[in-house]
């Protein structure tokens, strides 16, 4: 794993408190049935695991390589097994789950090895769902806020439906389809600045530069929005394909 892929554990608590959970409608679109057995892969602190539980999806197993992220997940989602593992080495038997969901983590995986592992653990007819949840750059003040954190959009879809994810050639999956879901949340301005600090582009900066990102984010929201709390628009970009 690269330094950026490993950076989240150092801010696991803030990550869990401040990062957006997926828009619930996206989960209804991705999960075939509440009775499905779901693997939350690259589960982090369990934002998706808990969102699935809130939607009535109880049979969720989480796999996460970072010990600090996994510890938060285990503490806050006591009903879900939290397994050490990675997308390239999933600690589950063949054909054991109905859906594999990957929230804001696919871009960290080795796509060849991860796709092979996901195909192995999915039952035929099962769903691979990739999702990314983010402050919605369709609003200009949010797009400028993201620029302050130098959020790196490489490998991630934008906020518009119709995007494509290219799986490795020959992967045993149907043609994918995509959708974008939106919801807004009131947040304290301090928390908006804190949320920016949980992006890997900021987590890997020296302390003085992280402080500068925070200072600029607070000034930006005060200048362009001027309320506290502030209504923050979020989007979940979702993509699904069926294991053939
Ligand atoms: C941006 S966080 C997303 C966490 C969680 N899915 C969420 O939506 O909040 C990315 C996560 O991917 C994990 N990760 C990085 N490389 C991974 C890999 N090769 N296999 C599985 N997880 C990985 C990181 O440890 C981190 O917890």
């Amino acid at each position: 794993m690269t330094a950026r892929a490993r950076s989240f554990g150092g801010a696991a608590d803030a990550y869990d408190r401040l990062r957006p959970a997926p828009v619930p409608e996206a989960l209804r679109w991705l999960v075939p049935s509440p009775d499905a057995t779901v693997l939350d892969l690259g589960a982090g602190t369990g934002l998706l695991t808990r969102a699935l539980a809130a939607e009535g999806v109880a049979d969720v197993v989480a796999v996460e390589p970072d010990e600090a992220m996994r510890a938060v997940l285990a503490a806050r989602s006591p009903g879900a097994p939290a397994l050490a593992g990675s997308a390239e080495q999933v600690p589950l038997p063949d054909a054991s789950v109905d859906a594999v969901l990957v929230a804001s983590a696919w871009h960290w995986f080795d796509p060849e090895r991860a796709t092979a592992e996901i195909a192995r653990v999915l039952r035929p007819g099962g769903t691979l769902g990739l999702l990314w949840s983010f402050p919605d750059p369709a609003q200009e003040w949010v797009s400028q806020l993201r620029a302050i954190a130098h959020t790196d959009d490489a490998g991630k879809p934008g906020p518009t439906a119709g995007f494509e994810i290219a799986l490795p050639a020959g992967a045993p999956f149907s043609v994918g389809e995509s959708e974008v879901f939106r919801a807004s949340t009131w947040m304290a301005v301090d928390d908006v600045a804190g949320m920016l600090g949980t992006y890997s582009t900021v987590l890997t900066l020296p302390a003085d530069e992280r402080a500068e990102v925070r200072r600029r984010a607070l000034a930006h929201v005060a200048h362009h929005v001027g309320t506290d709390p502030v209504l923050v628009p979020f989007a979940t970009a979702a993509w699904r394909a069926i294991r053939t």
Side-chain angles (χ1 to χ4, degrees):
M1 282 163 74
T2 64
R4 277 184 50 208
R6 279 197 310 266
S7 66
F8 300 102
D13 271 308
Y15 185 102
D16 191 62
R17 194 168 63 81
L18 300 172
R19 279 293 193 104
V23 176
E25 222 185 324
L27 302 184
R28 286 172 225 140
W29 187 79
L30 286 168
V31 178
S33 140
D35 299 328
T37 301
V38 179
L39 164 61
D40 178 359
L41 187 56
T45 59
L47 289 174
L48 171 63
T49 297
R50 295 207 300 278
L52 287 167
E55 288 299 306
V57 184
D59 194 0
V60 181
V61 53
V63 169
E64 164 59 41
D66 187 282
E67 205 177 329
M69 298 294 266
R70 216 170 51 245
V72 173
L73 190 153
R76 300 194 186 159
S77 307
L83 308 180
S86 70
E88 296 78 15
Q89 273 191 305
V90 178
L92 290 179
D94 296 359
S96 54
V97 298
D98 302 307
V100 175
L101 297 194
V102 180
S104 303
W106 174 257
H107 52 281
W108 297 122
F109 299 171
D110 174 329
E112 295 278 347
R113 293 172 61 206
T115 303
E117 274 295 81
I118 291 167
R120 180 183 68 74
V121 300
L122 264 178
R123 298 188 179 113
T127 303
L128 167 59
L130 310 181
L131 57 153
W132 285 262
S133 298
F134 45 83
D136 188 355
Q139 282 196 25
E140 200 181 351
W141 75 267
V142 177
S143 141
Q144 291 165 347
L145 183 73
R146 289 162 54 107
I148 291 171
H150 305 293
T151 53
D152 173 7
D153 294 329
K156 305 179 201 171
T160 313
F163 62 88
E164 290 176 15
I165 303 285
L167 294 182
F173 288 91
S174 69
V175 172
E177 50 183 339
S178 64
E179 197 56 76
V180 175
F181 302 87
R182 291 188 153 80
S184 295
T185 306
W186 289 99
M187 290 179 76
V189 173
D190 204 54
D191 286 346
V192 175
M195 173 179 66
L196 276 202
T198 67
Y199 282 86
S200 61
T201 46
V202 180
L203 286 169
T204 49
L205 291 175
D208 57 333
E209 291 179 40
R210 287 203 305 273
E212 176 61 10
V213 167
R214 180 178 173 75
R215 190 198 63 70
R216 288 182 60 203
L218 290 171
H220 178 76
V221 180
H223 182 73
H224 289 275
V225 189
T227 63
D228 191 357
V230 56
L231 188 61
V232 184
F234 286 101
T236 294
W239 179 93
R240 66 184 180 191
I242 303 299
R243 168 77 162 95
T244 53

